[in-house]
Amino acid sequence: MSQHPAFDVLTATCPSRTSLARIANKWTAMVVIVLAGGRRRFGDLRAAVDGISGKVLTDTLRDLERDGLVARHVYAEMPPRVEYELTSLGHTLREPLQALGRWAEEHIEEVLAARETYDTRR
């Protein structure tokens, strides 16, 4: 699976697991999908990702910034303006996460039907 022999996401101690966990997080995926459209302010991000709390969005953005996926831009204005955008590394996630989002939208009816079938058997 790995192109680099020192890293194997299936190994418990591999640091790539933390990256996979971050990327697989639902809030991360949604934030990346929104930022794929360009720079956004915090309030715009929060409005675009329905249901995310301010704290969770703040934590998600900090984690993405720490991992080098998102850049934070602070402007010396009154009131201060802060914008977020994907870095070049973050842009590498655009296509796979947008594909996952499309898959979820395209197959939700099948998933809901499967859940209903499963739940009626229980």
Side-chain angles (χ1 to χ4, degrees), residues 48-81:
V49 181
D50 189 32
I52 193 168
S53 71
K55 180 187 180 333
V56 170
L57 179 56
T58 297
D59 291 346
T60 301
L61 289 167
R62 283 185 183 150
D63 290 341
L64 292 171
E65 184 179 8
R66 182 173 184 244
D67 286 353
L69 302 171
V70 166
R72 181 176 185 262
H73 304 280
V74 181
Y75 299 91
E77 301 173 351
M78 279 303 173
R81 179 170 51 108

Side-chain angles (χ1 to χ4, degrees), residues 1-62:
M1 173 163 207
S2 177
Q3 293 180 348
H4 192 288
F7 298 109
D8 180 354
V9 74
L10 300 178
T11 301
T13 57
C14 185
S16 65
R17 273 200 179 185
T18 59
S19 288
L20 180 60
R22 174 105 53 244
I23 294 162
N25 176 288
K26 71 177 180 178
W27 300 119
T28 293
M30 290 183 222
V31 168
V32 169
I33 289 169
V34 171
L35 289 177
R39 279 188 187 197
R40 290 303 231 355
R41 294 179 73 167
F42 184 90
D44 296 333
L45 280 167
R46 189 163 178 201
V49 181
D50 189 32
I52 193 168
S53 71
K55 180 187 180 333
V56 170
L57 179 56
T58 297
D59 291 346
T60 301
L61 289 167
R62 283 185 183 150

